[in-house]
Amino acid sequence: MSSTTRGTIVLIESSDIGARYSAEAIRALGYEPLFLCDLAEYHADPLAQIRSYPHLHCFTTSAESVVKTLQGLSGHQFVAVTSFVDSRLTVAVEVAEQMGLKGLDPQIVKLKNKGLAYSLISEFSPPSLLFSPQQMSAEDHARLRRLLEQSGKLIIKPSAGAGAIGIFTVSSVKELENIQKTIEQKNVPEHFAHDQWIAQAFLVGELVSLEGYVVGGKTKTLGFTSRVKVHSTESRASFPVDAQLQPQQRTRALEAVQALFKRSGFLQGYFHIEFLLCNGEAFLIDANVGRPGGGPVGELLAISYGVDPIAIYEHALDVSLFGRENQSPYLHAELAGKIQAAHSVLYGLERGGDLIGVNFPVDARVYHTQLLDGGTHASPMGTDDWSWIGIVSGLESDTEAAVRSLKISTTAGEFSACY
């Protein structure tokens, strides 16, 4: 550890685009970063970025394993523990608490559970039911059947899941009768707490997320991001799209967020809360709190507000770990009225394939993060959020031009991006 730093901030895993941004943000705050990662889960740009900073290969699905790893290290003055990865937020909270370090707001643990979050704000959410696949009673089946009859279709997901893993829909009583077997076949990872699942009425509408943060118990909203999917895989995002919401939808979403934070006691941190816009309403479907949104959201905010993405991550760390806001990266653009529209494409292969490489236009005026190396297998777009080969962010015309120009080489030939 450098004698010029004030200590080490531990990063548990890394988001797709965020390794360099988060590490440089920690250094901008006067600390030294240390990544704890299962390096086997990373390829291409994220892996290269992690390796360029202090890092340690270890398993991070439990607080116990992380604490044991950190306690076995010497030469570090640990100050804080955090994560920009949805599935590691609870682990980060628990590690900080066990080691007496600065950490994320502990209310995140409650809000990461979709069932508990629903119980706090049920009036803002689609009709839902919680159940345990291992302990389903006749009454559980009857309640699920009534919800199916009322809504016509259900979406089923693990209560603590992320990245669309394990999600499926049920449209008939026959499918409902096989729900336990279907869940078993999903092989949901242990750290997604697959003993509890949630069934929600399936609504057809436009998916958006509200970006913002809470500091000192005060909520600051930054705007709405549009979200487009290829089946279960995020494929496009634009920010801000507030003008596309009806006034009552925007009002309802803001009311839902305020109610969520008040009832949960969430006081500090970023949020990326998902809503489904349907029939003039805004239904809260996922209370993502504790970090800026995954995928391209950090870059979208930076492009839109005219700052370097590192500034977004520095602000997120300052707010989330220290409960302070020394300097807002959003203020200048807001005062000048110069918030730009930013656009991202998260691309892959329509049918999947064994990757050789990506031929990306060298003169493109965009951010590009390649997530998979040659020699790796890409699952078909639509499987989940691990189907991405790369992420491109910029102004809309620049992003679309770059993605149309890139070519993906596979063992089966060369293909255009699917998004």
Side-chain angles (χ1 to χ4, degrees), residues 94-353:
E94 293 173 349
V95 171
E97 289 179 338
Q98 290 180 32
M99 296 187 68
L101 302 174
K102 293 286 187 182
L104 300 169
D105 191 315
Q107 297 306 322
I108 289 169
V109 176
K110 181 193 304 180
L111 295 174
K112 281 305 303 165
N113 186 302
K114 294 178 175 63
L116 292 177
Y118 169 75
S119 69
L120 290 173
I121 48 158
S122 57
E123 74 269 32
F124 295 100
S125 303
S128 305
L129 286 174
L130 287 171
F131 65 97
S132 173
Q134 288 81 15
Q135 301 175 0
M136 287 189 68
S137 63
E139 178 57 26
D140 289 329
H141 279 285
R143 291 165 64 225
L144 286 169
R145 184 166 181 165
R146 287 195 293 270
L147 182 61
L148 175 62
E149 291 170 348
Q150 292 165 5
S151 60
K153 188 175 182 179
L154 303 179
I155 184 166
I156 314 293
K157 46 192 173 183
S159 191
I165 285 183
I167 290 178
F168 64 99
T169 58
V170 168
S171 303
S172 68
V173 172
K174 184 176 181 180
E175 289 177 323
L176 195 59
E177 290 172 350
N178 294 323
I179 191 171
Q180 289 160 291
K181 184 177 181 180
T182 302
I183 289 173
E184 183 179 337
Q185 292 171 342
K186 291 295 178 179
N187 293 316
V188 173
E190 289 287 340
H191 58 278
F192 283 167
H194 64 279
D195 58 321
Q196 189 179 57
W197 288 63
I198 186 168
Q200 284 187 329
F202 185 91
L203 302 177
V204 177
E206 180 185 355
L207 180 64
V208 299
S209 57
L210 179 59
E211 321 298 342
Y213 59 92
V214 179
V215 61
K218 296 181 180 179
T219 302
K220 166 68 175 178
T221 58
L222 298 171
F224 289 86
T225 302
S226 68
R227 315 271 297 285
V228 177
K229 293 190 176 188
V230 174
H231 301 298
S232 293
T233 305
E234 299 269 355
S235 61
R236 290 171 178 260
S238 296
F239 175 90
V241 295
D242 296 49
Q244 298 177 21
L245 276 72
Q246 299 175 23
Q248 66 268 29
Q249 291 173 329
R250 177 179 171 79
T251 298
R252 186 67 170 167
L254 296 176
E255 288 175 350
V257 167
Q258 294 288 0
L260 179 71
F261 296 154
K262 182 178 180 180
R263 296 171 191 177
S264 68
F266 182 68
L267 297 176
Q268 65 185 51
Y270 265 62
F271 60 85
H272 167 76
I273 297 179
E274 295 183 2
F275 291 89
L276 197 65
L277 307 180
C278 177
N279 298 325
E281 262 284 15
F283 295 93
L284 195 156
I285 59 172
D286 209 338
N288 291 320
V289 300
R291 61 161 193 157
V297 170
E299 289 177 342
L300 288 175
L301 293 175
I303 295 163
S304 186
Y305 283 90
V307 298
D308 191 294
I310 294 170
I312 303 298
Y313 283 78
E314 181 181 351
H315 184 260
L317 290 163
D318 219 17
V319 166
S320 301
L321 296 178
F322 304 106
R324 66 192 183 201
E325 186 176 20
N326 286 333
Q327 185 174 352
S328 169
Y330 310 107
L331 188 59
H332 180 75
E334 288 175 339
L335 293 175
K338 293 183 178 180
I339 301 173
Q340 301 183 94
H343 183 65
S344 291
V345 167
L346 308 99
Y347 68 87
L349 288 165
E350 182 178 5
R351 294 182 176 84

Side-chain angles (χ1 to χ4, degrees), residues 30-105:
Y31 302 94
E32 186 68 3
L34 174 65
F35 284 102
L36 297 187
C37 298
D38 180 355
L39 293 176
E41 297 296 318
Y42 297 88
H43 305 274
D45 293 337
L47 179 59
Q49 290 176 18
I50 290 170
R51 282 178 167 164
S52 67
Y53 296 95
H55 65 278
L56 190 66
H57 171 79
C58 69
F59 298 107
T60 62
T61 55
S62 74
E64 290 70 24
S65 63
V66 173
V67 169
K68 185 177 180 180
T69 297
L70 294 177
Q71 289 177 337
L73 296 178
S74 60
H76 291 274
Q77 180 185 342
F78 296 116
V79 175
V81 179
T82 190
S83 181
F84 286 95
V85 178
D86 198 27
S87 62
R88 297 299 189 274
L89 295 175
T90 294
V91 174
V93 170
E94 293 173 349
V95 171
E97 289 179 338
Q98 290 180 32
M99 296 187 68
L101 302 174
K102 293 286 187 182
L104 300 169
D105 191 315

Side-chain angles (χ1 to χ4, degrees), residues 367-388:
Y367 294 105
H368 176 230
T369 302
Q370 187 173 324
L371 303 177
L372 295 182
D373 281 315
T376 55
H377 181 77
S379 58
M381 276 291 281
T383 305
D384 52 39
D385 285 346
W386 280 262
S387 302
W388 301 329

